[in-house]
Amino acid sequence: MVLLLLSVIISVSLGSANLAVSQVWGVLLHQVPVIKNSITADWAQSTEQIILKVRLPRVILAILAGACLSLAGAGFQGVLRNPLADPYTLGVSSGAAVGAAFIILFGFHTVLLGVWTIPLVAFLTGLISLMAVLRLANIHGKYRLETIILSGVVVSAFLGSLVSFMVSMSDQVVNEIVFWLMGSLALRGWSFTFVLLPYLAIGFAVLISYGRTLNLFALGERQAAHLGVNIQRTRLIILIVSTLITAAAVSIVGTIGFVGLVVPHLVRLMVGPDYRMLIPLSAIVGAIYVLWADTLARTLLSPTEIPLGVVTAFLGAPFFAYLLRRNKQMTAGGNG
């Protein structure tokens, strides 16, 4: 938590606008009723607008999105007992992006449920894509690690082609749809934060309640069933909840790859495989990971902004390659 707070302090203080750190924190502290009267507001109105309506909501949204994707990754990896499972490799992120792109293309987000429309549709299409992956990977009622990942790659490629097709269909909203392909937190205000927060709260509450059950899953489904775990119900609940929070994050910040893959592994290396610790720490570390990735995205080439998905892929792809190689070596060692 201390590292997260420090990351927030640094991230809010950085930006393309050349603002003094003292001004940044003067504005923020001026919002606290207890100490408001002790601070002299010697800054321009534009400075306050930049900090309170641009930087701060973006920082909070990065934290929420990172926590959602990391929690989803931990849930997928735990219930599927697959160290390479995450929203991106399972095709859930691509499925959610298809739903979001469809709603944007036809303008339905303004006539249905307002800001809740895109997360709901993204959840449905993300869930459909996950079911398709599991259906492809199911061989006589069993799921092999390699089959699940290959199925996710196939479904993601297909869904990616659908998004590309929708991009080619419209000149008016092409930039909005491309946003889903690259991922970004730009121009996302407080309203999007309030949309994402309840999804994260529900997802965290459900997954943390299944921490002990996921520990039993690690022993194998047969052993978990002997210990009283309802395998089918547990798998269904965790898959649906993980898909829900993934879709909520993707519908707002776009397709951000490798967060759900990298973060749970880093946490597992730090604290071990106990999901009662792994789940809450994944949320915290995921928040820090995306917050720093977004900070790099908007400051490295300032004033030009790098898409957030590019930064997370640049950091996560080498780690994914390492996991593939490590898993291959472990498999070879086991066979030997």
Side-chain angles (χ1 to χ4, degrees):
M1 290 301 293
V2 174
L3 183 58
L4 177 59
L5 179 60
L6 181 62
S7 299
V8 170
I9 292 174
I10 296 174
S11 184
V12 173
S13 302
L14 298 175
S16 57
N18 189 18
L19 303 178
V21 176
S22 59
Q23 282 188 326
V24 173
W25 285 94
V27 170
L28 293 176
L29 294 175
H30 193 256
Q31 308 306 309
V32 181
V34 178
I35 60 177
K36 180 177 182 179
N37 296 329
S38 62
I39 297 177
T40 302
D42 57 350
W43 49 78
Q45 184 67 24
S46 59
T47 299
E48 186 168 320
Q49 295 294 314
I50 290 173
I51 296 169
L52 297 181
K53 295 188 176 182
V54 179
R55 289 190 187 179
L56 188 59
R58 180 165 181 160
V59 165
I60 300 302
L61 191 57
I63 291 173
L64 297 180
C68 281
L69 294 173
S70 300
L71 281 174
F76 285 133
Q77 290 175 15
V79 77
L80 296 176
R81 295 183 293 117
N82 189 325
L84 301 179
D86 88 316
Y88 192 75
T89 58
L90 288 177
V92 176
S93 293
S94 299
V98 167
F102 180 84
I103 291 296
I104 292 173
L105 178 62
F106 293 99
F108 292 149
H109 59 298
T110 60
V111 296
L112 295 177
L113 301 175
V115 294
W116 299 96
T117 303
I118 294 180
L120 177 60
V121 175
F123 165 65
L124 294 176
T125 53
L127 187 61
I128 291 171
S129 66
L130 176 63
M131 294 301 104
V133 169
L134 295 180
R135 180 70 176 174
L136 286 174
N138 191 322
I139 301 176
H140 304 300
K142 296 182 179 180
Y143 301 100
R144 292 179 60 85
L145 186 151
E146 299 85 356
T147 308
I148 291 178
I149 299 303
L150 288 175
S151 299
V153 171
V154 170
V155 171
S156 292
F158 174 73
L159 296 175
S161 67
L162 287 181
V163 176
S164 298
F165 174 70
M166 284 186 277
V167 168
S168 67
M169 286 180 61
S170 176
D171 295 330
Q172 297 179 351
V173 294
V174 62
N175 290 333
E176 291 186 60
I177 297 177
V178 170
F179 159 81
W180 303 108
L181 298 177
M182 306 184 75
S184 175
L185 293 172
L187 305 178
R188 289 296 184 258
W190 287 109
S191 60
F192 294 94
T193 301
F194 298 140
V195 170
L196 189 54
L197 184 59
Y199 287 95
L200 174 60
I202 294 171
F204 181 82
V206 173
L207 291 179
I208 196 67
S209 69
Y210 277 89
R212 178 180 176 276
T213 304
L214 288 174
N215 287 339
L216 297 179
F217 255 80
L219 302 175
E221 292 185 359
R222 181 175 299 179
Q223 289 83 348
H226 287 321
L227 294 172
V229 176
N230 187 323
I231 300 299
Q232 297 298 330
R233 186 182 67 181
T234 300
R235 181 190 292 124
L236 181 62
I237 291 175
I238 294 180
L239 288 178
I240 288 177
V241 170
S242 298
T243 301
L244 177 64
I245 56 179
T246 297
V250 170
S251 69
I252 292 175
V253 303
T255 305
I256 302 176
F258 298 104
V259 177
L261 175 70
V262 171
V263 173
H265 276 282
L266 292 177
V267 175
R268 195 175 286 111
L269 291 173
M270 292 187 294
V271 301
D274 187 347
Y275 276 87
R276 291 172 296 181
M277 291 290 292
L278 185 64
I279 289 173
L281 287 178
S282 289
I284 295 174
V285 176
I288 296 172
Y289 181 80
V290 174
L291 178 56
W292 273 106
D294 183 60
T295 301
L296 291 174
R298 62 187 174 87
T299 58
L300 279 180
L301 301 179
S302 180
T304 302
E305 183 172 317
I306 305 172
L308 178 57
V310 172
V311 177
T312 58
F314 183 80
L315 297 174
F319 191 78
F320 181 64
Y322 161 75
L323 290 177
L324 281 174
R325 182 174 180 83
R326 179 171 175 264
N327 182 72
K328 183 178 179 180
Q329 291 174 342
M330 291 176 63
T331 303
N335 293 335

